[in-house]
Amino acid sequence: MDKCIVNSVRTESTVSQHKGKQERSGEEALTIFVDKRKLSKKAEVSDYSSNGTTVTLETLHQLAASYFIDRESTLRKLHHIQIASTAIKVTETRTGPLGCSNYDNLDSVSSVLVQSPENKVHLQGLQVILPEYLRDTFVQAALSYIACNGEGGFVCRNNDCWCKCDSKFPECNCPYMDIQAMEESLLRISESWAILYKEFEDSDEFKAFLTRLPQNFFLNASTIQHLWSLDGVFQRRYEHLEASMRGLFRRAQRVVHKLFSLSKRCQKQPQIHLPHERPLAYWLNYFQSLLYCSENNQLGSFSQELHTCICTYEHSSCQVPTPCTVGEGPACASCATDNYTRCGACNTGHMLSQGACRPMVADSTETYLGFETDLQDLELRYLLQRADRRLEVHAIFISNDMRLNSWFDPSWRKRMLLTLKSNKYKSNLVHMLLGISLQICLTKNSTLEPTLTLYINPFGGSHSESWYIPVSENSFPDWQSTKLDLPLECFNWTLTLGNKWKTFFETIHIYLRSRIKAPGTGGNDSQYYEPLELPDPSQNLGYMKINSIQVFGYSMHFDPEAIRDLILQLDYPYTQGSQDSALLQLLEIRDRVNRLSPPGQQQLDLFSCLLRHRLKLTASDVVRIHASLQAFGTRVPNSLDYETTKLCS
């Protein structure tokens, strides 16, 4: 007697069809397990029927009822549905003794529709009464006939079973019909994939968002993403697309997994072709392409790194004029009003140069004024100790009080000058002072010792525009005296500045006074006092002479015309942005010049001295330049903000 039983367990139901065979004292059953949630999604299961109709629970009942009428056709239909969907699982079970026929009389067939390692075929009955030496052969032959349709031998190893195909049937393990069904299913998924993307691009939300994108400045990917996040309507439309794509991707994954499982023992593996998923970065670049690569009725691909379009046709450009980039850092603060492809104003820390912004980093100032030498401190100290002539600067000696290599009475102050007269003879050079050395001789038994005072005039001008060298004050170096092997009492008096204390110089003012050295009360201590000027020259305490004076340093390139040209651009810029460039160069020169002022609480304004005495500018011009540099310095990152002491009038 046939009957249909429907049991509901959680979300699964069971449809069973039984037919008792009393003449054989056995039974066979067909059980279909159904996932109602998946079956209720008509869009998902509508393509899985054998004739293209929608599979419903009623359809499955009809198939179960036709099992005993047309068993082969029913199993084939259920087989196709089970392979293409996870909504159902079919199990066929038979019990009873073996008869004359080989397939219908098997005791039990479990999951014969699905070839997997979990399939088991249990043979009971006649084989029990067979001799032991025939049992293995019998079971092997039965399994080969059932699982391999007689086209090969059934083999199981490492929990995996397959057919060892006969030479006449090399593809016995390859279910072509099932693989073809999977491939057709993938093709339909790919078509649905493309339709979803096309519907998204044609949607009103997509077109509205594209229309609202600003076109008066360049939009990079991060800016478009930010505007995207602010558009709630368009964002919800994209989330709907993502949800649909996730569902398609899961379906494709299941089909691909089944496809490879079915074809793992085929001689030729299937070729899987699925459309590439389009992530958020794709759409951001796509919007850029629509904005900037849609000229001449063609759509190219925009490259943000190259800031250009890759067009479809070689001889036809698809790129529209790209607006300037507005944003932070090197981007513009705003585009030019007359040409939106060029920058009109820059952010803080950047300057405008030919319609584009670049960081406010001064180019090398060596073309205007040299600063550095390649001599290191250790090498420089060694050359200065040897009084190497390569460091000697040939200065002019001037004095109304004395002459070199002539004896004089040192009882009163003597005044000397060492000058380079660069304003007159060497206008293309400035000079750096590294040290000074004097060879001084005294008469025998003299109790006198020289006292030297130095003033430095950096770039020329009057004596009042010189600054005092603080010898032996605040870690500043002191004079070093070295006895010479000469018949007279001669000494080398050397003051070494080196790289640490080097400074500009044009003229050195030297004041020589003498002092009397007398033994002190503390043993090795000495006391000094100034000698009185005696009316009788015969009563003097000794004579002194200076054999030579050497200045050590180096000369550097100086281009006054180039610096004047920079200053001229403050009022008459050559091109858009050249004023900022000139200010940046002058700011760098000012800071580097003032950095070489003597040690003290406040730097000297050596830059004004350079403008006044080497460029011959008026005092009002110097004030105007300083005001421009101070205002510009507030816009430059990490700009030095310091007060200076005025030196030159």
Side-chain angles (χ1 to χ4, degrees), residues 115 121 141-152 154 162-163 172-173:
Q115 299 181 14
V121 179
L143 290 174
S144 297
Y145 191 86
I146 296 168
C148 303
N149 295 322
E151 296 178 351
F154 193 70
W162 67 95
C163 296
C172 68
N173 286 307

Side-chain angles (χ1 to χ4, degrees), residues 458-479:
F459 299 109
S462 65
H463 174 53
S464 62
E465 296 172 324
S466 302
W467 57 272
Y468 165 72
I469 292 186
V471 176
S472 74
E473 298 178 10
N474 298 325
S475 72
F476 200 86
D478 197 359
W479 288 99

Side-chain angles (χ1 to χ4, degrees), residues 233-334:
V233 176
F234 180 62
Q235 197 170 4
R236 285 191 293 273
R237 181 62 181 84
Y238 181 71
E239 290 173 355
H240 175 70
L241 172 68
E242 283 188 317
S244 301
M245 294 307 302
R246 282 195 297 268
L248 274 181
F249 184 71
R250 286 194 297 267
R251 285 177 54 189
Q253 276 187 318
R254 291 193 298 267
V255 174
V256 169
H257 177 72
K258 292 179 180 179
L259 185 57
F260 278 111
S261 297
L262 291 171
S263 60
K264 65 180 180 179
R265 300 197 183 279
C266 295
Q267 292 183 349
K268 183 180 179 181
Q269 292 296 308
Q271 299 295 322
I272 307 299
H273 297 286
L274 284 176
H276 291 291
E277 187 178 0
R278 299 178 183 178
L280 178 62
Y282 168 86
W283 294 109
L284 298 177
N285 178 259
Y286 186 64
F287 279 117
Q288 287 181 318
S289 301
L290 290 173
L291 289 173
Y292 309 127
C293 304
S294 57
E295 194 72 13
N296 294 325
N297 297 321
Q298 60 169 313
L299 181 63
S301 177
F302 186 78
S303 172
Q304 184 167 284
E305 292 76 13
L306 301 177
H307 222 68
T308 187
C309 295
I310 302 172
C311 302
T312 307
Y313 302 103
E314 296 181 359
H315 305 293
S316 178
S317 175
C318 61
Q319 184 161 354
V320 300
T322 306
C324 72
T325 302
V326 175
E328 299 179 355
C332 300
S334 63

Side-chain angles (χ1 to χ4, degrees), residues 373-421:
T373 175
D374 55 357
L375 295 174
Q376 302 299 317
D377 286 339
L378 191 62
E379 181 183 11
L380 192 61
R381 191 179 300 113
Y382 172 75
L383 294 175
L384 289 173
Q385 287 174 352
R386 293 184 54 193
D388 195 289
R389 300 187 68 86
R390 285 175 293 177
L391 293 180
E392 186 176 355
V393 179
H394 297 285
I396 302 172
F397 176 81
I398 301 174
S399 177
N400 293 326
D401 299 333
M402 52 162 290
R403 293 183 178 180
L404 292 179
N405 209 19
S406 297
W407 292 100
F408 60 89
D409 181 3
S411 59
W412 192 240
R413 185 175 72 168
K414 307 298 180 183
R415 183 170 181 264
M416 297 166 278
L417 291 179
L418 290 173
T419 183
L420 298 168
K421 292 188 178 296

